[in-house]
Amino acid sequence: MIYPIHVYGNPVLRKVSQAVDLNDHSLPELIEDMFETMYSARGVGLAAPQIGKALRIFVLDSQPYQEIFPEEEPRKLVFINPQIEELFGESIALNEGCLSLPEIYEEVVRKSSVKINFWDEKGEYHKEVFHGIVARIIQHEYDHIDGKVFTDRVSTLKKMLLKRKLSDISDGKIKTNYKIKR
Ligand code: NI
């Protein structure tokens, strides 16, 4: 099932999400729906709040970056109840976008590497270090489950310049080629 993407202004994006019950029988379906929703909107990552569920789960598939970063192995991953243990390496500025913030692209500075523990879709526990674009997507999606969006991380000046664009999103004055919910 494809969910509408909840966009900026919807309070669910500002909630600190709750832990996922690993024994919840609807979990496999939720994961499948999250991938389906992400792919249909041409996203590379999707967190549960973006489909209206304040739960600590996100999915990603870095395959679309294969052409730009051919040295990086594409990864398709599910993170359930993740915990970032450490952010390290270089601070890198890179343009980010978000399905919940259509038409906004801004440089965000993030660390190049992340050490994170999480459960996967099979209920297996992992402690893993990620680098490059996958580390970038992880940090972006992790923000979502803590009630943050990437524009929270730009300079005060940039925030001022984005005010109009952000209110256009929350006012519904935007066009997207995927279904949205304000
Ligand atoms: Ni996002």
Side-chain angles (χ1 to χ4, degrees):
M1 176 186 149
I2 296 169
Y3 282 87
I5 302 284
H6 290 51
V7 295
Y8 188 87
N10 190 301
V12 72
L13 294 177
R14 290 309 192 184
K15 282 188 186 160
V16 175
S17 289
Q18 300 286 309
V20 171
D21 173 4
L22 289 161
N23 298 311
D24 186 336
H25 293 298
S26 65
L27 196 50
E29 196 185 347
L30 173 65
I31 293 165
E32 196 181 307
D33 289 347
M34 286 179 71
F35 275 117
E36 197 184 351
T37 303
M38 180 185 84
Y39 290 133
S40 79
R42 300 187 172 279
V44 292
L46 186 82
Q50 296 182 276
I51 57 162
K53 297 173 190 291
L55 292 169
R56 302 190 78 79
I57 175 170
F58 59 82
V59 300
L60 67 83
D61 188 341
S62 65
Q63 176 67 45
Y65 283 102
Q66 185 67 72
E67 266 181 45
I68 318 167
F69 304 106
E71 70 284 2
E72 290 189 31
E73 181 203 347
R75 303 289 303 267
K76 178 180 175 179
L77 295 157
V78 179
F79 294 80
I80 303 167
N81 297 339
Q83 261 186 308
I84 289 180
E85 292 185 17
E86 198 187 344
L87 295 170
F88 61 100
E90 285 174 81
S91 292
I92 298 169
L94 197 75
N95 236 31
E96 287 189 21
C98 178
L99 296 175
S100 295
L101 283 76
E103 288 167 33
I104 296 183
Y105 302 91
E106 288 296 336
E107 270 195 356
V108 181
V109 178
R110 298 194 194 265
K111 291 290 185 183
S112 61
S113 303
V114 56
K115 184 181 181 188
I116 187 169
N117 65 61
F118 59 100
W119 277 265
D120 68 11
E121 68 281 12
K122 293 173 197 140
E124 281 163 17
Y125 181 76
H126 300 260
K127 197 182 275 247
E128 208 175 325
V129 172
F130 296 93
H131 308 280
I133 197 65
V134 176
R136 164 77 50 170
I137 302 168
I138 288 170
Q139 290 172 71
H140 177 115
E141 300 309 328
Y142 194 92
D143 274 353
H144 278 303
I145 62 172
D146 275 342
K148 295 181 203 133
V149 294
F150 79 90
T151 50
D152 299 345
R153 295 190 179 274
V154 303
S155 68
T156 311
L157 176 64
K158 277 271 172 61
K159 272 195 196 107
M160 273 169 56
L161 297 170
L162 283 171
K163 244 185 170 169
R164 178 62 181 275
K165 273 188 167 180
L166 289 170
S167 59
D168 279 351
I169 296 173
S170 49
D171 293 343
K173 294 181 200 153
I174 40 152
K175 280 211 177 85
T176 50
N177 39 30
Y178 47 90
K179 264 199 193 138
I180 60 165
K181 190 166 168 18
R182 289 196 280 143

Coordinates of all heavy atoms in Angstrom, one line a residue, residues 149-180:
V149 N 13.8 17.9 10.9 CA 13.9 17.9 9.4 C 15.2 18.6 9.0 O 15.8 19.3 9.8 CB 12.7 18.5 8.7 CG1 11.4 17.7 8.9 CG2 12.5 20.0 9.1
F150 N 15.7 18.4 7.8 CA 17.0 18.8 7.4 C 17.2 20.4 7.5 O 18.3 20.9 7.7 CB 17.5 18.2 6.1 CG 17.0 18.9 4.9 CD1 17.7 19.9 4.3 CD2 15.9 18.4 4.3 CE1 17.2 20.5 3.1 CE2 15.4 18.9 3.1 CZ 16.0 20.0 2.5
T151 N 16.1 21.1 7.2 CA 16.2 22.5 7.3 C 16.4 23.1 8.7 O 16.8 24.2 8.8 CB 14.9 23.2 6.7 OG1 13.8 22.6 7.3 CG2 14.8 23.0 5.2
D152 N 16.2 22.2 9.7 CA 16.6 22.6 11.1 C 18.1 22.8 11.2 O 18.6 23.5 12.1 CB 16.2 21.6 12.1 CG 14.7 21.3 12.1 OD1 13.9 22.2 11.5 OD2 14.2 20.3 12.7
R153 N 18.8 22.2 10.3 CA 20.3 22.2 10.4 C 21.0 23.2 9.5 O 22.2 23.2 9.3 CB 20.8 20.8 10.0 CG 20.3 19.7 11.0 CD 21.1 18.4 10.8 NE 20.7 17.4 11.8 CZ 21.2 17.3 13.0 NH1 22.2 18.1 13.4 NH2 20.8 16.3 13.8
V154 N 20.2 24.1 8.8 CA 20.9 25.1 8.0 C 21.0 26.4 8.8 O 20.5 26.5 9.9 CB 20.1 25.4 6.7 CG1 19.9 24.1 5.9 CG2 18.7 26.1 7.0
S155 N 21.8 27.3 8.3 CA 22.1 28.6 9.1 C 20.8 29.4 9.3 O 19.8 29.2 8.6 CB 23.1 29.4 8.3 OG 22.5 29.9 7.1
T156 N 20.9 30.3 10.3 CA 19.8 31.2 10.6 C 19.4 32.0 9.4 O 18.2 32.2 9.1 CB 20.2 32.1 11.8 OG1 20.8 31.3 12.8 CG2 19.0 32.8 12.4
L157 N 20.4 32.5 8.7 CA 20.1 33.2 7.5 C 19.3 32.4 6.4 O 18.3 32.8 5.9 CB 21.4 33.8 6.9 CG 21.3 34.6 5.6 CD1 20.4 35.8 5.8 CD2 22.6 34.9 5.0
K158 N 19.8 31.2 6.2 CA 19.2 30.3 5.3 C 17.8 30.0 5.7 O 16.8 30.0 4.9 CB 20.0 29.0 5.1 CG 21.1 29.0 4.2 CD 20.7 28.7 2.8 CE 21.8 28.9 1.7 NZ 23.0 28.1 2.0
K159 N 17.6 29.8 7.0 CA 16.2 29.5 7.5 C 15.3 30.7 7.2 O 14.1 30.4 6.8 CB 16.3 29.3 9.1 CG 16.6 27.9 9.5 CD 16.3 27.7 11.0 CE 17.0 26.5 11.5 NZ 18.1 26.7 12.3
M160 N 15.8 31.9 7.4 CA 15.0 33.1 7.1 C 14.6 33.1 5.6 O 13.4 33.3 5.2 CB 15.7 34.4 7.4 CG 15.5 34.8 8.8 SD 16.6 36.1 9.3 CE 16.2 37.3 8.1
L161 N 15.5 32.7 4.7 CA 15.3 32.7 3.3 C 14.3 31.6 2.9 O 13.7 31.7 1.9 CB 16.6 32.6 2.5 CG 17.6 33.8 2.7 CD1 18.9 33.4 2.1 CD2 17.0 35.0 2.1
L162 N 14.3 30.6 3.7 CA 13.4 29.4 3.4 C 12.0 29.5 3.9 O 11.1 28.8 3.6 CB 14.0 28.1 4.0 CG 15.2 27.5 3.3 CD1 15.8 26.4 4.1 CD2 14.8 27.0 1.9
K163 N 11.8 30.6 4.8 CA 10.5 30.7 5.5 C 9.3 30.6 4.5 O 8.3 29.9 4.8 CB 10.5 32.0 6.3 CG 10.4 31.8 7.7 CD 10.2 33.1 8.5 CE 9.9 32.7 10.0 NZ 10.0 33.9 10.8
R164 N 9.4 31.4 3.5 CA 8.3 31.5 2.5 C 8.0 30.1 1.9 O 6.9 29.6 1.8 CB 8.6 32.5 1.4 CG 7.6 32.7 0.3 CD 6.2 33.1 0.9 NE 5.3 33.3 -0.1 CZ 5.1 34.3 -0.9 NH1 5.9 35.4 -0.7 NH2 4.2 34.4 -1.8
K165 N 9.1 29.5 1.4 CA 9.0 28.1 0.8 C 8.4 27.1 1.7 O 7.5 26.3 1.3 CB 10.4 27.6 0.3 CG 10.8 28.1 -1.0 CD 12.1 27.4 -1.4 CE 12.4 27.6 -2.9 NZ 13.6 26.9 -3.3
L166 N 8.8 27.2 3.0 CA 8.2 26.3 4.0 C 6.8 26.5 4.2 O 6.0 25.6 4.3 CB 9.0 26.3 5.3 CG 10.5 25.8 5.2 CD1 11.3 26.1 6.5 CD2 10.4 24.2 5.0
S167 N 6.4 27.8 4.3 CA 4.9 28.1 4.6 C 4.1 27.7 3.3 O 3.0 27.3 3.4 CB 4.7 29.5 5.0 OG 5.2 30.4 4.1
D168 N 4.7 27.8 2.1 CA 4.0 27.4 0.9 C 3.7 25.9 1.0 O 2.6 25.4 0.6 CB 4.8 27.6 -0.3 CG 4.7 29.1 -0.8 OD1 3.9 29.8 -0.3 OD2 5.5 29.5 -1.7
I169 N 4.6 25.1 1.5 CA 4.4 23.7 1.7 C 3.3 23.4 2.7 O 2.3 22.7 2.4 CB 5.7 22.9 2.2 CG1 6.8 23.0 1.1 CG2 5.3 21.4 2.4 CD1 8.1 22.5 1.5
S170 N 3.4 24.1 3.9 CA 2.3 23.8 4.9 C 1.0 24.4 4.4 O -0.1 23.9 4.9 CB 2.7 24.3 6.3 OG 3.2 25.6 6.2
D171 N 1.0 25.4 3.5 CA -0.3 25.9 3.0 C -0.8 25.2 1.8 O -1.9 25.5 1.2 CB -0.1 27.4 2.6 CG 0.1 28.3 3.8 OD1 -0.1 27.9 5.0 OD2 0.6 29.4 3.6
G172 N 0.0 24.2 1.4 CA -0.5 23.4 0.2 C -0.2 24.0 -1.1 O -0.8 23.5 -2.1
K173 N 0.6 25.0 -1.2 CA 0.9 25.7 -2.5 C 2.0 25.1 -3.2 O 3.0 25.7 -3.5 CB 1.2 27.2 -2.2 CG 0.0 28.0 -1.7 CD 0.4 29.4 -1.5 CE -0.5 30.2 -0.6 NZ 0.2 31.3 0.1
I174 N 2.0 23.8 -3.3 CA 3.0 23.0 -4.0 C 2.5 21.9 -4.9 O 1.3 21.5 -4.6 CB 4.0 22.4 -3.0 CG1 3.3 21.8 -1.8 CG2 5.1 23.3 -2.6 CD1 3.9 20.6 -1.2
K175 N 3.3 21.5 -5.9 CA 2.9 20.4 -6.7 C 3.9 19.3 -6.6 O 5.1 19.6 -6.6 CB 2.8 20.9 -8.2 CG 1.5 21.6 -8.5 CD 1.1 21.4 -10.0 CE -0.2 22.1 -10.3 NZ 0.0 23.5 -10.7
T176 N 3.4 18.1 -6.4 CA 4.3 17.0 -6.3 C 3.8 15.9 -7.2 O 2.6 15.9 -7.5 CB 4.3 16.4 -4.9 OG1 3.0 16.2 -4.4 CG2 5.0 17.3 -3.9
N177 N 4.6 15.0 -7.7 CA 4.1 13.9 -8.4 C 3.9 12.6 -7.6 O 3.8 11.5 -8.0 CB 4.9 13.6 -9.7 CG 6.4 13.7 -9.4 OD1 6.8 13.5 -8.3 ND2 7.1 14.1 -10.5
Y178 N 3.7 12.9 -6.3 CA 3.3 11.8 -5.4 C 2.2 12.4 -4.4 O 2.1 13.6 -4.3 CB 4.4 11.2 -4.6 CG 5.4 12.2 -3.9 CD1 5.1 12.7 -2.7 CD2 6.5 12.7 -4.6 CE1 6.0 13.6 -2.1 CE2 7.3 13.6 -4.1 CZ 7.1 14.1 -2.8 OH 8.0 15.0 -2.2
K179 N 1.4 11.5 -3.8 CA 0.3 12.0 -3.0 C 0.9 12.5 -1.7 O 1.8 11.9 -1.1 CB -0.6 10.8 -2.6 CG -1.8 10.8 -3.5 CD -3.0 10.0 -2.9 CE -4.0 9.8 -4.0 NZ -4.6 8.4 -3.9
I180 N 0.4 13.7 -1.2 CA 0.9 14.2 0.0 C -0.3 14.4 1.0 O -1.5 14.4 0.6 CB 1.6 15.6 -0.2 CG1 0.7 16.6 -0.8 CG2 2.9 15.4 -1.0 CD1 1.3 18.0 -0.7

